[in-house]
Amino acid sequence: MHPVRRKRLLWILLCVSLLACALGLVLYALQQNINLFYSPTQIVQQEAPYDTNIRAGGMVLAGSVERDPDSLAVAFLVTDFQHNVRIEYVGILPDLFREGQGIVAQGQLRKDGVFQATEVLAKHDEKYMPPEVTEALQQSQTSSQYTN
């Protein structure tokens, strides 16, 4: 092989190797920061992964909020009007958190089906609802129309 071609080929191989390494590092970093949203129906149907950071959301079921009087522990049910998921959270809930309101919780799904939240987000006003919750509720209503 001609020495100039050989040198050019080595440079090309070096550049491709560096780009592959950079792409691999970027994908690895993104994989750890992706939080996918799951509705209560998807969680009950075991579509959500266990022990992985995900988001779950829906409407807080009226009468389901249980507060521990000795700590900041709170448990409540979130529904998409087809299935309910129990969410447990230790911390201060947002001021806008109420029964019958839409929320999005970030955390991990445990093997017993309980969602352990590390963060709870409540909607801002009466008309706003997180887009993931709106989409999940619309899909839930659409699928319930087909089953009835």
Side-chain angles (χ1 to χ4, degrees), residues 11 13 20 22 29 44 48 57 71 78 81 84-85 87 94 97 103 111-112 119 122 129-130 136 138 146:
W11 273 108
L13 288 175
V44 169
S71 68
V78 170
F81 306 114
N84 302 332
V85 171
I87 294 180
F97 179 88
I103 61 111
K111 300 275 185 203
D112 59 358
E119 183 178 11
M129 186 171 294
Q138 287 173 349
Y146 289 121

Side-chain angles (χ1 to χ4, degrees), residues 17-148:
S17 298
L18 288 176
L19 286 174
C21 287
L23 181 64
L25 289 173
V26 168
L27 290 176
Y28 180 74
L30 288 176
Q31 182 183 12
Q32 293 181 348
N33 293 328
I34 293 176
N35 291 323
L36 298 177
F37 178 82
Y38 291 92
S39 68
T41 297
Q42 291 174 311
I43 292 173
V44 169
Q45 293 174 348
Q46 300 181 344
E47 295 177 17
Y50 295 106
D51 300 328
T52 303
N53 282 334
I54 61 172
R55 288 183 173 195
M59 305 297 281
V60 178
L61 194 64
S64 68
V65 177
E66 302 169 7
R67 296 178 191 269
D68 184 6
D70 299 329
S71 68
L72 295 176
V74 177
F76 52 93
L77 295 176
V78 170
T79 184
D80 61 357
F81 306 114
Q82 285 191 337
H83 295 95
N84 302 332
V85 171
R86 181 179 172 89
I87 294 180
E88 293 180 356
Y89 176 69
V90 177
I92 299 173
L93 289 169
D95 291 338
L96 299 174
F97 179 88
R98 281 178 259 145
E99 295 176 349
Q101 300 267 334
I103 61 111
V104 173
Q106 184 171 335
Q108 295 184 347
L109 182 63
R110 298 188 318 220
K111 300 275 185 203
D112 59 358
V114 174
F115 189 84
Q116 184 65 49
T118 57
E119 183 178 11
V120 175
L121 305 171
K123 68 180 190 176
H124 294 104
D125 62 17
E126 295 298 322
K127 295 181 181 176
Y128 176 77
M129 186 171 294
E132 298 97 348
V133 173
T134 303
E135 185 177 322
L137 290 175
Q138 287 173 349
Q139 287 179 351
S140 137
Q141 289 175 350
T142 302
S143 64
S144 68
Q145 289 174 352
Y146 289 121
T147 56
N148 292 334

Side-chain angles (χ1 to χ4, degrees), residues 7-23:
K7 188 175 180 180
R8 195 176 295 160
L9 181 63
L10 287 175
W11 273 108
I12 291 172
L13 288 175
L14 179 67
C15 288
V16 169
S17 298
L18 288 176
L19 286 174
C21 287
L23 181 64

